[in-house]
Amino acid sequence: EDQVTQSPEALRLQEGESSSLNCSYTVSGLRGLFWYRQDPGKGPEFLFTLYSAGEEKEKERLKATLTKKESFLHITAPKPEDSATYLCAATLIQGAQKLVFGQGTRLTINP
Amino acid sequence: DAGVTQSPTHLIKTRGQQVTLRCSPKSGHDTVSWYQQALGQGPQFIFQYYEEEERQRGNFPDRFSGHQFPNYSSELNVNALLLGDSALYLCASSYQGGVTQYFGPGTRLLVL
């Protein structure tokens, strides 16, 4: 069964304290690996798409990386406004563009 | 450039009733997917529409049905509502051949 698992479930950091979020996936043929940010009560906001192992993408304080079994979202010197739930999702080679999501990591940055 | 829009933003229904949620895709997009997100969980795929037909369906009962119109907008219908249907319903759009899906703000459904 296609599965995406994120860890930790929740993470609390001090402002400026860098860390990483993990997303491991077991899918039958990965087409793309996605990271979204979701604020409470709102829809997910697209951050990155990764397609192949070794690929990296950056946006401000965020950097996403991909290996054959997992993806990491690195957060460098975070600010309170980076507080949100970060969702990882995979889409498969076979079939339509269905996204398989992890349960998310709830990130809190304290000032 | 308007993003994905959904209506209504919030809805309260009672058990056994029926509900219709609406979605307009991002400009230039022709594919619409619907997801259900329970509190504290990741979104779960309901189904996807392209060229007015359902292309793929997740593990949801037949009480969940949908439609896509010629202008690519879409509706999600849920019949015989259960308490467990309370959730945030998300619409996402993309274009055929593309990979990235863009989400709307969601409709919060509460079933009492």
Side-chain angles (χ1 to χ4, degrees), chain B:
Chain B
D1 178 22
V4 180
T5 59
Q6 292 185 243
S7 63
T9 55
H10 295 84
L11 205 51
I12 299 175
K13 292 286 188 178
T14 57
R15 282 178 298 173
Q17 285 189 313
Q18 178 264 342
V19 67
T20 297
L21 311 182
R22 295 175 176 83
C23 171
S24 291
K26 188 176 169 69
S27 178
H29 286 183
D30 56 9
T31 302
V32 173
S33 302
W34 287 93
Y35 294 82
Q36 180 195 66
Q37 186 176 26
L39 204 60
Q41 301 296 316
Q44 297 292 315
F45 176 76
I46 303 175
F47 42 53
Q48 183 180 90
Y49 277 85
Y50 170 67
E51 291 188 337
E52 302 179 50
E53 291 190 357
E54 183 182 291
R55 293 186 69 222
Q56 189 176 9
R57 189 178 184 91
N59 295 325
F60 281 81
D62 291 344
R63 297 187 298 109
F64 289 77
S65 63
H67 188 78
Q68 186 180 35
F69 299 94
N71 67 352
Y72 307 120
S73 67
S74 177
E75 287 182 350
L76 165 65
N77 301 292
V78 187
N79 295 323
L81 285 167
L82 304 174
L83 296 180
D85 294 332
S86 296
L88 180 67
Y89 287 85
L90 296 164
C91 169
S93 76
S94 55
Y95 70 90
Q96 189 57 27
V99 176
T100 300
Q101 295 184 31
Y102 295 87
F103 285 82
T107 294
R108 173 70 64 186
L109 172 65
L110 178 61
V111 182
L112 300 176

Side-chain angles (χ1 to χ4, degrees), chain A residues 10-14 79-80 82-84 106-110:
Chain A
L11 181 62
R12 189 177 293 269
L13 301 171
Q14 290 299 121
K79 299 182 178 181
D82 294 322
S83 297
R106 190 173 64 255
L107 177 66
T108 304
I109 309 298
N110 294 317

Side-chain angles (χ1 to χ4, degrees), chain A residues 76-88:
Chain A
T76 303
K79 299 182 178 181
E81 53 262 42
D82 294 322
S83 297
T85 294
Y86 290 85
L87 295 165
C88 171

